[in-house]
Amino acid sequence: RKPSRRVLVPVTVRIEAGWDRTDPKAAIVNRVSGARDVPLSGQAANRTEQLRGATGASVVDATVGQAAESAAKPVVILSSDIDDMRKLAQRIHGKVRIQRI
């Protein structure tokens, strides 16, 4: 079975990046990336806080960890913050790879 190649983006990451999907300037990245939003439910927020507390990661980075944890494995996290992502990946069950961008 071929692995899925979905792009998942926690909503906090979109907000921090200033990525407004309704902005006409975002049309290309919306179409090319095919990215799906990962909402932050109450249960996901609790897990995000647990990851943040255990690693000292920022709220936004911890939401990436939570999204990776709940996604089908294997997972690749694209980030410029390799150190925090590695700390988070160590707390996530399943195969998680970190790729610097």
Side-chain angles (χ1 to χ4, degrees):
R1 183 178 95 121
K2 186 176 177 181
S4 171
R5 300 211 192 288
R6 294 182 307 185
V7 176
L8 303 175
V9 181
V11 293
T12 56
V13 171
R14 273 203 319 105
I15 294 165
E16 184 174 73
W19 179 2
D20 176 357
R21 289 186 182 278
T22 65
D23 187 332
K25 295 176 194 167
I28 292 174
V29 73
N30 288 338
R31 186 175 61 251
V32 171
S33 72
R36 290 189 356 211
D37 285 341
V38 178
L40 192 59
S41 67
Q43 182 177 355
N46 291 338
R47 182 59 180 146
T48 297
E49 175 51 26
Q50 292 166 2
L51 290 169
R52 190 196 65 76
T55 63
S58 71
V59 171
V60 172
D61 288 353
T63 64
V64 171
Q66 184 281 322
E69 182 173 70
S70 60
K73 305 300 182 287
V75 170
V76 177
I77 297 174
L78 304 176
S79 178
S80 61
D81 192 351
I82 298 300
D83 293 335
D84 278 348
M85 290 303 142
R86 283 192 179 129
K87 290 177 194 172
L88 288 160
Q90 291 172 353
R91 304 237 173 226
I92 297 170
H93 298 289
K95 186 175 179 179
V96 178
R97 185 170 59 105
I98 312 301
Q99 180 64 48
R100 182 184 303 274
I101 55 170

